[in-house]
Amino acid sequence: PSLLNVLVVGEDHRFYLHAGFDPVAIAGALWRLIRSGKLSGASTIEQQLVRVLTGDRRRTVRRKTREIILACALSLTYEKAEIAGMYLAVAYFGWRMNGVEEACERLSFNFSNITLLQAASLVARLKYPEPQYANVQRSALIARRTEHLVSLLSARHVTEPKEVGTDAALFDT
């Protein structure tokens, strides 16, 4: 499986079904907020790309609305694989790991021949970025998330069964 498939499974399993924002995820997040008072994620890969590019992380309705509008514009302008590639190219994977190529280099992964376990480990770091100084707790979180992503992918919870060729092709934008 490609890095793209692991990204979709881990970050936005309805990636191929929406046009930049996921109303189902937003409704679920609002329901959890109302019921338990806890914030939860509902951002799509497009929204995450917008957040990284704008650098705006404020937790406001105005920022979220702007992010949704820009994510929809991205979705209208670029193919899904291009959007995922752009996100992976600039995403934060941890200390001194901005973008997937830098992360692969730092983790001694062969970017052009990445394994499923390595791809899952990279995507796990989107949720739990690698700290500057290694610590047991963060390493355990990354390992658990990696294992979870591999199991999700093997259960084929990908809504779009198509493969996108090589992962390197994702970055030809």
Side-chain angles (χ1 to χ4, degrees):
S2 69
L3 181 56
L4 173 62
N5 284 340
V6 178
L7 177 68
V8 169
V9 165
E11 296 293 312
D12 184 3
H13 67 276
R14 285 186 288 273
F15 181 60
Y16 295 104
L17 302 175
H18 60 69
F21 74 102
D22 186 350
V24 174
I26 293 170
L30 286 172
W31 179 249
R32 283 184 295 281
L33 180 62
I34 291 166
R35 286 193 44 127
S36 68
K38 294 182 180 178
L39 290 174
S40 61
S43 293
T44 63
I45 292 169
E46 290 92 340
Q47 288 175 272
Q48 292 175 46
L49 175 59
V50 167
R51 191 174 314 119
V52 170
L53 293 176
T54 62
D56 192 351
R57 297 192 175 283
R58 293 173 293 164
R59 291 186 177 209
T60 65
V61 173
R62 182 181 176 138
R63 193 257 322 154
K64 194 64 160 177
T65 303
R66 181 174 172 247
E67 186 178 278
I68 288 171
I69 291 166
L70 291 171
C72 289
L74 269 175
S75 196
L76 289 170
T77 308
Y78 298 98
E79 297 292 323
K80 290 289 189 171
E82 292 175 306
I83 292 167
M86 286 186 275
Y87 176 59
L88 288 168
V90 297
Y92 180 71
F93 294 90
W95 188 74
R96 292 181 47 212
M97 291 192 282
N98 294 301
V100 70
E101 290 186 55
E102 193 172 280
C104 283
E105 184 178 313
R106 182 122 188 281
L107 297 168
S108 300
F109 295 169
N110 180 350
F111 176 70
S112 60
N113 194 21
I114 197 164
T115 68
L116 169 60
L117 195 57
Q118 290 169 337
S121 177
L122 284 167
V123 172
R125 283 171 170 83
L126 293 172
K127 185 170 184 168
Y128 303 115
E130 187 77 33
Q132 180 176 356
Y133 302 105
N135 72 58
V136 175
Q137 293 85 5
R138 182 54 60 100
S139 294
L141 286 173
I142 292 169
R144 275 198 307 275
R145 179 77 174 154
T146 299
E147 192 174 302
H148 177 67
L149 292 172
V150 169
S151 97
L152 280 177
L153 193 62
S154 65
R156 297 303 295 170
H157 288 144
V158 179
T159 56
E160 175 71 291
K162 292 189 285 185
E163 295 287 330
V164 182
T166 66
D167 293 329
L170 294 175
F171 302 95
D172 295 337
T173 58

